[in-house]
């Protein structure tokens, strides 16, 4: 997750002074001024929440798509099943993203947090537990956008790549199609949802003692200061990582289904 700190700094450039610089420049600047360990600041919340989120999301998706009669391939119901997972995912990821963002920006502001637990403890003590759900609405919309496209594109690309030996492999074509379809779905979904993630980062990254700003105001400010391209600050590394991570994640998902019930729908397919 080392690129996450850099991505957060780029997304909140107006607050951190990282505007109009590259990923490598920001990373190099962080290492020089704050030390290499700062690249991993805020890693605690993602490590805890990632396994919870992945398990909950994939289990919910499987349950919903079966109950709404979604078909394999390019069926819009697969996307709807993914979107249905967003509210529950948002409950977990909003807290994770908020704490992570506050931790990652703390080094260039007050440097008051000694760790993730101390960050949560301090923020709740001074602002109440509701502070942890700052940005819940925009984060849930981001989750719905991401997850809807994530599963829709995966199911469609999996079918397209595995049909008629499209990849040039024979008996092992499905083994190759799964990670490629997963990677493409992750990259595409991140590309679509990244502007929303940028807005989320700005909303959750503001100092908690400053007045809140509405989502529309944040979007207008970002567009005025950076333009549309500014909404994709730090996107390249995240999209590349999403391809690799999602390919692995869907391979694990399919393997789990195979081990539990002999494959998708209880058959080896």
């Amino acid at each position: 997750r080392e690129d996450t700190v850099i991505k957060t700094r780029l997304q909140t450039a107006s607050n951190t002074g990282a505007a109009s610089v590259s990923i490598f420049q920001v990373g190099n600047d962080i290492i020089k001024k704050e030390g290499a360990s700062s690249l991993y600041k805020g890693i605690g919340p993602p490590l805890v929440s990632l396994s919870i989120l992945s398990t909950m999301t994939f289990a919910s998706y499987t349950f919903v798509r079966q109950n709404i009669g979604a078909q394999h391939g390019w069926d819009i119901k697969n996307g709807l099943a993914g979107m249905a997972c967003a509210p529950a995912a948002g409950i977990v990821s909003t807290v994770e993203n908020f704490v992570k963002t506050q931790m990652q920006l703390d080094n260039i502001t007050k440097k008051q947090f000694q760790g993730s637990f101390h960050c949560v403890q301090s923020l709740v003590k001074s602002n109440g537990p509701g502070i942890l759900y700052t940005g819940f609405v925009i984060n849930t919309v981001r989750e719905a956008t991401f997850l809807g496209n994530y599963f829709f594109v995966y199911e469609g690309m999996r079918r397209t790549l595995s049909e008629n030996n499209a990849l040039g492999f024979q008996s092992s074509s499905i083994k190759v199609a799964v990670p490629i379809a997963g990677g493409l779905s992750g990259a595409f979904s991140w590309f679509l949802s990244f502007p929303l993630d940028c807005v989320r980062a700005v909303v959750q990254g503001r100092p908690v003692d400053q007045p809140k700003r509405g989502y529309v105001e944040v979007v207008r400010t970002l567009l005025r200061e950076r333009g549309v391209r500014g909404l994709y600050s730090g996107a390249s590394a995240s999209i590349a990582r999403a391809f690799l991570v999602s390919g692995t994640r869907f391979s694990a998902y399919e393997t789990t289904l195979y081990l539990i019930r002999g494959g998708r729908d209880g058959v080896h397919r």
Side-chain angles (χ1 to χ4, degrees):
R1 303 275 301 191
E2 65 272 14
D3 76 292
T4 305
V5 177
I6 300 173
K7 175 173 73 70
T8 300
R9 298 286 176 91
L10 286 167
Q11 289 178 324
T12 57
S14 59
N15 296 328
T16 65
S20 302
V21 294
S22 70
I23 289 174
F24 298 105
Q25 286 176 298
V26 173
N28 187 52
D29 190 56
I30 291 173
I31 292 173
K32 284 184 177 180
K33 295 181 179 180
E34 305 167 33
S37 62
S38 294
L39 292 175
Y40 291 90
K41 190 163 188 181
I43 196 174
L47 285 178
V48 173
S49 69
L50 189 59
S51 58
I52 298 174
L53 268 175
S54 294
T55 302
M56 181 177 67
T57 300
F58 277 84
S60 299
Y61 167 71
T62 302
F63 175 79
V64 173
R65 77 177 297 272
Q66 288 178 340
N67 280 274
I68 64 175
Q71 303 297 312
H72 298 305
W74 298 99
D75 186 350
I76 192 64
K77 289 183 179 180
N78 291 314
L80 295 176
M83 292 180 69
C85 304
I91 291 174
V92 177
S93 64
T94 297
V95 177
E96 177 240 305
N97 283 321
F98 177 69
V99 176
K100 177 187 68 178
T101 302
Q102 288 290 316
M103 285 283 294
Q104 291 172 348
L105 297 179
D106 181 57
N107 264 18
I108 53 177
T109 53
K110 300 179 180 179
K111 297 184 179 181
Q112 59 182 326
F113 303 131
Q114 300 170 9
S116 298
F117 180 75
H118 181 249
C119 176
V120 172
Q121 190 178 43
S122 300
L123 291 172
V124 171
K125 183 178 181 180
S126 58
N127 300 277
I131 193 68
L132 298 178
Y133 281 93
T134 298
F136 174 75
V137 174
I138 189 65
N139 184 61
T140 301
V141 172
R142 179 194 64 80
E143 289 282 12
T145 303
F146 177 83
L147 292 172
N149 286 282
Y150 196 52
F151 290 107
F152 174 70
V153 173
Y154 171 71
E155 294 288 352
M157 290 304 300
R158 182 188 187 277
R159 170 62 64 85
T160 298
L161 293 176
S162 60
E163 275 186 345
N164 303 318
N165 199 23
L167 292 170
F169 299 89
Q170 295 180 357
S171 61
S172 61
S173 62
I174 191 63
K175 298 178 182 178
V176 179
V178 166
I180 293 179
L184 291 174
S185 70
F188 179 74
S189 300
W190 254 115
F191 177 79
L192 286 183
S193 62
F194 203 86
L196 292 170
D197 190 64
C198 187
V199 175
R200 179 219 41 92
V202 173
V203 170
Q204 294 188 323
R206 71 168 181 83
V208 294
D209 56 355
Q210 291 185 3
K212 293 183 179 180
R213 293 193 296 168
Y215 300 129
V216 175
E217 181 186 353
V218 170
V219 172
R220 287 176 177 172
T221 301
L222 287 172
L223 290 174
R224 183 176 65 250
E225 294 180 352
R226 311 186 209 171
V228 175
R229 291 184 61 184
L231 296 177
Y232 282 91
S233 296
S236 56
S238 293
I239 291 173
R241 185 194 67 195
F243 181 90
L244 298 174
V245 171
S246 295
T248 303
R249 185 175 293 160
F250 274 105
S251 295
Y253 169 66
E254 295 278 359
T255 300
T256 301
L257 291 180
Y258 183 91
L259 293 174
I260 293 177
R261 60 190 192 188
R264 290 154 63 91
D265 305 323
V267 295
H268 294 216
R269 52 180 298 180

Coordinates of all heavy atoms in Angstrom, one line a residue, residues 76-148:
I76 N -26.5 -7.0 -16.9 CA -26.5 -5.8 -16.0 C -26.9 -6.1 -14.6 O -26.5 -5.4 -13.6 CB -27.6 -4.8 -16.6 CG1 -27.4 -3.4 -15.9 CG2 -29.0 -5.3 -16.4 CD1 -26.1 -2.8 -16.1
K77 N -27.5 -7.3 -14.3 CA -27.8 -7.7 -13.0 C -26.6 -8.0 -12.2 O -26.6 -7.8 -10.9 CB -28.7 -8.9 -13.0 CG -30.1 -8.7 -13.5 CD -31.0 -9.9 -13.4 CE -32.4 -9.7 -13.9 NZ -33.2 -10.9 -13.8
N78 N -25.5 -8.3 -12.8 CA -24.2 -8.5 -12.1 C -23.7 -7.2 -11.5 O -23.2 -7.1 -10.4 CB -23.1 -9.1 -13.0 CG -23.4 -10.5 -13.4 OD1 -23.8 -11.3 -12.6 ND2 -23.3 -10.8 -14.7
G79 N -23.9 -6.1 -12.3 CA -23.6 -4.8 -11.8 C -24.5 -4.3 -10.7 O -24.0 -3.7 -9.7
L80 N -25.8 -4.6 -10.8 CA -26.7 -4.3 -9.7 C -26.4 -5.0 -8.5 O -26.5 -4.5 -7.4 CB -28.1 -4.6 -10.2 CG -28.6 -3.7 -11.4 CD1 -30.0 -4.2 -11.8 CD2 -28.7 -2.3 -11.0
A81 N -26.0 -6.3 -8.6 CA -25.6 -7.1 -7.4 C -24.4 -6.5 -6.7 O -24.3 -6.4 -5.5 CB -25.3 -8.5 -7.8
G82 N -23.4 -6.0 -7.6 CA -22.2 -5.3 -7.0 C -22.6 -4.0 -6.3 O -22.1 -3.8 -5.2
M83 N -23.5 -3.2 -6.9 CA -23.9 -2.0 -6.3 C -24.6 -2.2 -5.0 O -24.5 -1.4 -4.1 CB -24.8 -1.2 -7.3 CG -24.1 -0.7 -8.5 SD -25.1 0.2 -9.6 CE -25.5 1.7 -8.6
A84 N -25.3 -3.3 -4.9 CA -26.1 -3.6 -3.7 C -25.2 -3.8 -2.5 O -25.6 -3.7 -1.3 CB -27.0 -4.9 -3.9
C85 N -23.9 -4.1 -2.7 CA -23.0 -4.3 -1.6 C -22.4 -3.0 -1.1 O -21.7 -3.0 -0.1 CB -21.8 -5.2 -2.1 SG -22.2 -6.8 -2.8
A86 N -22.6 -1.9 -1.8 CA -22.0 -0.6 -1.5 C -22.3 -0.1 -0.1 O -21.4 0.4 0.6 CB -22.3 0.4 -2.5
P87 N -23.6 -0.1 0.4 CA -23.9 0.5 1.7 C -23.1 -0.2 2.8 O -22.5 0.5 3.7 CB -25.4 0.3 1.8 CG -25.9 0.3 0.4 CD -24.8 -0.4 -0.4
A88 N -23.1 -1.5 2.8 CA -22.4 -2.3 3.8 C -20.9 -2.0 3.7 O -20.2 -1.9 4.7 CB -22.7 -3.8 3.7
A89 N -20.4 -2.0 2.5 CA -19.0 -1.8 2.3 C -18.6 -0.4 2.7 O -17.5 -0.1 3.3 CB -18.6 -1.9 0.8
G90 N -19.5 0.6 2.5 CA -19.2 2.0 2.9 C -19.1 2.1 4.4 O -18.4 3.0 4.9
I91 N -19.9 1.3 5.2 CA -19.8 1.4 6.6 C -18.4 1.1 7.1 O -17.9 1.7 8.1 CB -20.9 0.4 7.2 CG1 -22.3 1.0 7.0 CG2 -20.7 0.3 8.8 CD1 -23.4 0.0 7.4
V92 N -17.8 0.1 6.5 CA -16.5 -0.3 6.9 C -15.4 0.6 6.3 O -14.5 1.1 7.0 CB -16.2 -1.8 6.5 CG1 -14.7 -2.2 6.8 CG2 -17.2 -2.7 7.1
S93 N -15.5 0.9 5.0 CA -14.4 1.6 4.3 C -14.4 3.1 4.6 O -13.3 3.7 4.5 CB -14.5 1.4 2.8 OG -15.7 2.0 2.3
T94 N -15.5 3.7 5.0 CA -15.5 5.1 5.4 C -14.6 5.3 6.6 O -13.8 6.3 6.6 CB -16.9 5.6 5.7 OG1 -17.7 5.5 4.5 CG2 -16.9 7.0 6.1
V95 N -14.7 4.5 7.6 CA -13.9 4.6 8.8 C -12.4 4.4 8.4 O -11.5 5.2 8.8 CB -14.3 3.7 9.9 CG1 -13.4 3.8 11.1 CG2 -15.8 3.9 10.3
E96 N -12.2 3.3 7.7 CA -10.8 3.0 7.3 C -10.2 4.2 6.5 O -9.1 4.6 6.8 CB -10.8 1.8 6.4 CG -9.4 1.4 5.9 CD -9.4 1.3 4.4 OE1 -10.2 0.6 3.8 OE2 -8.5 2.0 3.8
N97 N -10.9 4.7 5.5 CA -10.4 5.8 4.7 C -10.2 7.0 5.5 O -9.2 7.8 5.2 CB -11.3 6.0 3.5 CG -11.2 5.0 2.4 OD1 -10.1 4.5 2.1 ND2 -12.3 4.6 1.8
F98 N -11.1 7.3 6.4 CA -11.0 8.6 7.1 C -9.7 8.5 8.0 O -8.9 9.5 8.1 CB -12.2 8.8 8.0 CG -12.1 10.0 8.9 CD1 -12.1 11.3 8.3 CD2 -12.1 9.9 10.3 CE1 -12.1 12.4 9.2 CE2 -12.0 11.0 11.1 CZ -12.0 12.2 10.5
V99 N -9.6 7.4 8.8 CA -8.4 7.3 9.7 C -7.1 7.3 8.9 O -6.2 8.0 9.2 CB -8.5 6.0 10.5 CG1 -7.3 5.9 11.4 CG2 -9.8 6.1 11.4
K100 N -7.1 6.6 7.8 CA -5.9 6.5 6.9 C -5.5 7.9 6.4 O -4.4 8.3 6.4 CB -6.2 5.5 5.8 CG -5.0 5.4 4.8 CD -5.5 4.6 3.6 CE -6.5 5.3 2.8 NZ -6.9 4.5 1.6
T101 N -6.5 8.6 5.9 CA -6.3 9.9 5.3 C -5.8 10.9 6.4 O -4.8 11.7 6.1 CB -7.5 10.5 4.6 OG1 -8.0 9.5 3.6 CG2 -7.3 11.8 4.0
Q102 N -6.4 10.9 7.5 CA -6.0 11.8 8.6 C -4.5 11.4 9.0 O -3.7 12.3 9.3 CB -6.9 11.6 9.8 CG -8.3 12.3 9.6 CD -8.2 13.8 9.6 OE1 -7.6 14.4 10.4 NE2 -9.0 14.4 8.7
M103 N -4.2 10.2 9.1 CA -2.9 9.7 9.5 C -1.8 10.2 8.5 O -0.8 10.7 8.8 CB -2.8 8.2 9.6 CG -3.5 7.7 10.9 SD -2.5 7.9 12.4 CE -1.1 6.8 12.0
Q104 N -2.2 10.0 7.2 CA -1.2 10.3 6.1 C -1.0 11.8 5.9 O 0.1 12.2 5.4 CB -1.7 9.7 4.8 CG -1.6 8.1 4.9 CD -2.3 7.5 3.7 OE1 -3.0 8.1 2.9 NE2 -2.0 6.2 3.5
L105 N -1.9 12.6 6.3 CA -1.7 14.1 6.2 C -1.2 14.7 7.5 O -0.8 15.8 7.5 CB -3.1 14.7 5.8 CG -3.6 14.3 4.4 CD1 -4.9 15.1 4.2 CD2 -2.6 14.7 3.3
D106 N -1.2 13.9 8.6 CA -0.8 14.4 9.9 C 0.7 14.8 9.9 O 1.1 15.7 10.6 CB -1.1 13.3 10.9 CG -0.7 13.7 12.3 OD1 -1.2 14.8 12.8 OD2 0.2 13.1 13.0
N107 N 1.5 14.1 9.1 CA 2.9 14.3 9.1 C 3.3 15.7 8.6 O 4.3 16.3 8.9 CB 3.7 13.3 8.2 CG 4.2 12.2 9.0 OD1 3.8 11.9 10.1 ND2 5.2 11.5 8.4
I108 N 2.4 16.3 7.8 CA 2.7 17.6 7.2 C 1.8 18.7 7.9 O 1.8 19.9 7.5 CB 2.5 17.7 5.7 CG1 1.1 17.2 5.4 CG2 3.5 16.9 5.0 CD1 0.8 17.3 3.9
T109 N 1.1 18.4 9.0 CA 0.4 19.4 9.7 C 0.8 19.4 11.1 O 1.8 20.0 11.5 CB -1.2 19.1 9.6 OG1 -1.4 17.7 10.0 CG2 -1.6 19.2 8.1
K110 N 0.1 18.8 12.0 CA 0.4 18.9 13.5 C 1.3 17.8 14.0 O 1.8 17.9 15.1 CB -1.0 18.9 14.3 CG -1.9 20.0 13.9 CD -3.2 20.0 14.7 CE -4.1 21.1 14.3 NZ -5.4 21.0 15.1
K111 N 1.3 16.7 13.3 CA 2.1 15.5 13.7 C 1.7 15.1 15.1 O 2.6 14.9 16.0 CB 3.6 15.8 13.7 CG 4.1 16.1 12.2 CD 5.6 16.3 12.2 CE 6.1 16.5 10.8 NZ 7.6 16.7 10.7
Q112 N 0.4 14.9 15.3 CA -0.1 14.6 16.7 C -0.5 13.2 16.9 O -0.6 12.8 18.1 CB -1.4 15.5 16.9 CG -2.5 15.2 15.8 CD -3.7 16.1 16.0 OE1 -4.0 16.4 17.1 NE2 -4.3 16.5 14.9
F113 N -0.5 12.4 15.9 CA -1.0 11.0 16.1 C 0.2 10.0 16.1 O 1.1 10.0 15.2 CB -1.9 10.6 14.9 CG -3.1 11.5 14.8 CD1 -3.5 12.0 13.6 CD2 -3.9 11.8 15.9 CE1 -4.6 12.8 13.4 CE2 -5.0 12.6 15.8 CZ -5.4 13.1 14.6
Q114 N 0.2 9.2 17.1 CA 1.3 8.2 17.3 C 1.0 6.9 16.6 O 1.9 6.1 16.4 CB 1.5 8.0 18.8 CG 1.8 9.2 19.6 CD 1.8 9.0 21.1 OE1 1.7 7.9 21.6 NE2 1.9 10.1 21.9
G115 N -0.2 6.7 16.2 CA -0.6 5.5 15.5 C -2.0 5.5 15.2 O -2.7 6.5 15.6
S116 N -2.5 4.5 14.5 CA -3.9 4.5 14.0 C -4.9 4.4 15.2 O -5.9 5.2 15.2 CB -4.2 3.2 13.2 OG -3.4 3.3 12.0
F117 N -4.6 3.6 16.2 CA -5.4 3.6 17.4 C -5.5 4.9 18.1 O -6.5 5.4 18.6 CB -5.0 2.4 18.4 CG -5.9 2.3 19.6 CD1 -7.1 1.7 19.5 CD2 -5.4 2.8 20.8 CE1 -7.9 1.6 20.6 CE2 -6.2 2.7 21.9 CZ -7.5 2.1 21.9
H118 N -4.3 5.5 18.3 CA -4.2 6.8 18.9 C -5.0 7.9 18.1 O -5.7 8.8 18.7 CB -2.8 7.2 19.1 CG -2.6 8.6 19.8 ND1 -2.2 9.7 19.1 CD2 -2.9 8.9 21.1 CE1 -2.1 10.7 20.0 NE2 -2.6 10.3 21.2
C119 N -5.0 7.8 16.8 CA -5.7 8.7 15.9 C -7.2 8.6 16.2 O -7.9 9.6 16.4 CB -5.4 8.4 14.5 SG -6.3 9.4 13.3
V120 N -7.7 7.3 16.2 CA -9.1 7.1 16.4 C -9.5 7.6 17.8 O -10.5 8.3 18.0 CB -9.5 5.6 16.3 CG1 -10.9 5.3 16.7 CG2 -9.3 5.1 14.9
Q121 N -8.7 7.2 18.8 CA -9.0 7.6 20.2 C -9.1 9.1 20.3 O -10.0 9.7 21.0 CB -7.9 7.0 21.1 CG -8.2 7.2 22.6 CD -7.1 6.5 23.4 OE1 -5.9 6.7 23.1 NE2 -7.5 5.8 24.4
S122 N -8.1 9.8 19.7 CA -8.0 11.3 19.9 C -9.2 12.0 19.2 O -9.8 12.9 19.7 CB -6.7 11.8 19.3 OG -5.6 11.3 19.9
L123 N -9.5 11.5 17.9 CA -10.6 12.1 17.2 C -12.0 11.9 17.8 O -12.8 12.8 17.9 CB -10.6 11.6 15.7 CG -9.4 12.0 14.9 CD1 -9.4 11.2 13.5 CD2 -9.4 13.5 14.6
V124 N -12.2 10.7 18.3 CA -13.5 10.4 19.0 C -13.6 11.1 20.3 O -14.7 11.7 20.6 CB -13.6 8.9 19.2 CG1 -14.8 8.6 20.1 CG2 -13.7 8.1 17.9
K125 N -12.5 11.3 21.0 CA -12.5 12.0 22.3 C -12.9 13.4 22.1 O -13.6 14.0 22.9 CB -11.2 11.8 23.0 CG -11.1 12.5 24.4 CD -9.8 12.2 25.0 CE -9.8 12.9 26.4 NZ -8.4 12.6 27.1
S126 N -12.3 14.0 21.1 CA -12.5 15.5 20.9 C -13.8 15.8 20.0 O -14.3 17.0 20.1 CB -11.3 16.1 20.2 OG -11.0 15.5 19.0
N127 N -14.2 14.9 19.2 CA -15.3 15.2 18.3 C -16.5 14.2 18.3 O -17.5 14.5 17.6 CB -14.8 15.2 16.8 CG -13.7 16.2 16.6 OD1 -13.9 17.4 16.4 ND2 -12.4 15.7 16.7
G128 N -16.4 13.2 19.1 CA -17.5 12.2 19.1 C -17.3 11.1 18.1 O -16.6 11.3 17.1
P129 N -18.0 10.0 18.3 CA -17.8 8.8 17.3 C -18.3 9.2 15.9 O -17.8 8.5 14.9 CB -18.6 7.7 17.9 CG -19.6 8.4 18.8 CD -18.9 9.6 19.4
G130 N -19.2 10.1 15.7 CA -19.7 10.4 14.4 C -18.6 11.0 13.5 O -18.8 10.9 12.2
I131 N -17.5 11.5 14.0 CA -16.5 12.0 13.2 C -15.8 11.0 12.3 O -15.3 11.3 11.2 CB -15.3 12.7 14.1 CG1 -14.4 13.5 13.2 CG2 -14.6 11.6 14.8 CD1 -15.0 14.8 12.7
L132 N -15.9 9.7 12.7 CA -15.3 8.6 11.9 C -16.0 8.4 10.6 O -15.5 7.7 9.7 CB -15.3 7.3 12.8 CG -14.4 7.4 14.0 CD1 -14.5 6.1 14.8 CD2 -13.0 7.7 13.7
Y133 N -17.3 8.9 10.5 CA -18.1 8.7 9.3 C -18.1 10.0 8.5 O -19.0 10.1 7.7 CB -19.4 8.2 9.7 CG -19.4 6.7 10.0 CD1 -19.2 6.2 11.3 CD2 -19.5 5.7 8.9 CE1 -19.1 4.9 11.6 CE2 -19.4 4.4 9.2 CZ -19.2 4.0 10.5 OH -19.1 2.6 10.8
T134 N -17.1 10.8 8.6 CA -17.0 12.0 7.8 C -16.8 11.5 6.3 O -16.0 10.6 6.0 CB -15.8 12.8 8.1 OG1 -15.9 13.3 9.5 CG2 -15.6 14.0 7.2
G135 N -17.6 12.0 5.4 CA -17.5 11.6 4.0 C -18.2 10.3 3.7 O -18.0 9.7 2.6
F136 N -19.1 9.8 4.6 CA -19.8 8.5 4.3 C -20.6 8.5 3.0 O -20.5 7.5 2.3 CB -20.8 8.2 5.5 CG -21.6 7.0 5.3 CD1 -21.0 5.7 5.4 CD2 -22.9 7.1 4.9 CE1 -21.8 4.6 5.2 CE2 -23.7 6.0 4.7 CZ -23.1 4.7 4.8
V137 N -21.3 9.6 2.7 CA -22.1 9.6 1.5 C -21.3 9.5 0.2 O -21.5 8.7 -0.6 CB -23.0 10.9 1.5 CG1 -23.7 11.0 0.1 CG2 -24.0 10.9 2.6
I138 N -20.3 10.4 0.1 CA -19.4 10.4 -1.1 C -18.7 9.0 -1.2 O -18.5 8.5 -2.3 CB -18.5 11.6 -1.1 CG1 -17.8 11.6 -2.5 CG2 -17.4 11.5 0.0 CD1 -18.7 11.9 -3.6
N139 N -18.3 8.5 -0.1 CA -17.5 7.2 -0.1 C -18.4 6.1 -0.5 O -18.0 5.2 -1.2 CB -16.9 6.9 1.3 CG -16.1 5.7 1.3 OD1 -15.1 5.6 0.5 ND2 -16.5 4.7 2.1
T140 N -19.7 6.1 -0.1 CA -20.6 5.0 -0.5 C -21.0 5.1 -1.9 O -21.1 4.1 -2.6 CB -21.9 5.1 0.4 OG1 -21.5 5.0 1.8 CG2 -22.9 4.0 0.1
V141 N -21.1 6.4 -2.4 CA -21.4 6.6 -3.9 C -20.2 6.0 -4.7 O -20.3 5.4 -5.7 CB -21.6 8.0 -4.2 CG1 -21.7 8.3 -5.7 CG2 -22.9 8.5 -3.6
R142 N -19.0 6.3 -4.2 CA -17.7 5.8 -4.8 C -17.7 4.3 -4.8 O -17.4 3.6 -5.8 CB -16.5 6.3 -4.1 CG -15.2 5.8 -4.6 CD -14.0 6.1 -3.7 NE -14.2 5.3 -2.5 CZ -13.8 4.1 -2.3 NH1 -13.4 3.4 -3.3 NH2 -14.0 3.5 -1.1
E143 N -18.1 3.7 -3.7 CA -18.2 2.2 -3.6 C -19.2 1.6 -4.6 O -18.9 0.6 -5.2 CB -18.6 1.8 -2.1 CG -17.5 2.0 -1.1 CD -16.4 0.9 -1.1 OE1 -16.3 0.2 -2.1 OE2 -15.6 0.9 -0.1
A144 N -20.4 2.3 -4.7 CA -21.4 1.8 -5.6 C -20.9 1.9 -7.1 O -21.1 0.9 -7.9 CB -22.7 2.6 -5.5
T145 N -20.2 3.0 -7.4 CA -19.7 3.1 -8.7 C -18.6 2.1 -9.0 O -18.6 1.4 -10.1 CB -19.1 4.5 -8.9 OG1 -20.1 5.5 -8.6 CG2 -18.5 4.7 -10.3
F146 N -17.7 1.9 -8.1 CA -16.6 0.9 -8.2 C -17.2 -0.5 -8.3 O -16.9 -1.2 -9.2 CB -15.6 1.1 -7.1 CG -14.5 0.1 -7.1 CD1 -13.4 0.3 -7.9 CD2 -14.6 -1.1 -6.4 CE1 -12.4 -0.6 -8.0 CE2 -13.6 -2.1 -6.5 CZ -12.5 -1.8 -7.3
L147 N -17.9 -0.9 -7.3 CA -18.4 -2.3 -7.2 C -19.3 -2.7 -8.3 O -19.3 -3.8 -8.8 CB -19.0 -2.6 -5.9 CG -18.1 -2.5 -4.6 CD1 -18.9 -2.6 -3.3 CD2 -17.0 -3.6 -4.7
G148 N -20.2 -1.8 -8.7 CA -21.1 -2.1 -9.8 C -20.3 -2.4 -11.1 O -20.6 -3.4 -11.8

